Amino acid sequence: MYTQEDILWVLSRQRHLNFDPGTEVVYGNAAYTLLAEIVRRVAGQPLRGFANERIFKPLGMTDTHFHNDHTELVPRRTAAYSPRAGGGWSVSIPHIDHYGSTSLFSTVGDLLKWQQNLLDNRVGGAALGAWMRTSGMLNEGTPVGYGGGLRLGAYRGLPTIGHDGADAGYRSDAVLFPDQRLATSRCATAPRSRQQT
């Protein structure tokens, strides 16, 4: 079991950086866990309530929430699974009670609503949308391909905006082709052996 307190405890004991800021980049979840804590302290409510009120409800994302109680039953939830030694499968549901960097429960339909917001900026406005779609830069000017919580890339020469996620047997991926106004989202469970590919 990993809790929000566990993650914050570990982060509070980190004494050194991996490299000088702006010289390299590595994707990590710690900043999102800290962001959830900042939201809780500033807004006076957990990230789950804040995101539901300010993002998910206004966008009509009725099947999306930050899951902050591993014992909560979620209607229509798909269970993760992994191969069992000797054949067959085992349920592989992670016991996680931390969020911000993980535990976003959603559906393909709701992810498409989120992607629509990346086009029309209904929630957040145009300035925030533009900031999210602007790549960070290293000190010497190299773009890192990551904006405000979004991977910025290209597929066959077409610009893409998106993000993927993985936890235990769960996989998700949401990719938007903004110029074509075309989006794709995928949520799945997969055996661990296939997750490595």
Side-chain angles (χ1 to χ4, degrees), residues 162-195:
H163 214 291
D164 59 333
D167 206 352
Y170 295 100
R171 290 286 191 240
S172 63
D173 199 8
V175 179
L176 172 67
F177 294 85
D179 295 346
Q180 289 71 32
R181 301 184 64 82
L182 175 68
T184 178
S185 294
R186 173 179 65 97
C187 298
T189 58
R192 288 176 195 248
S193 60
R194 293 183 65 202
Q195 293 174 3

Side-chain angles (χ1 to χ4, degrees), residues 46 65 87 92 114 162 178:
H65 70 274
S92 177
W114 168 252

Side-chain angles (χ1 to χ4, degrees), residues 32 131-132 146-151 162-163:
Y32 291 104
W131 174 80
M132 291 174 65
Y146 198 80
L150 298 171
R151 293 191 193 280
H163 214 291

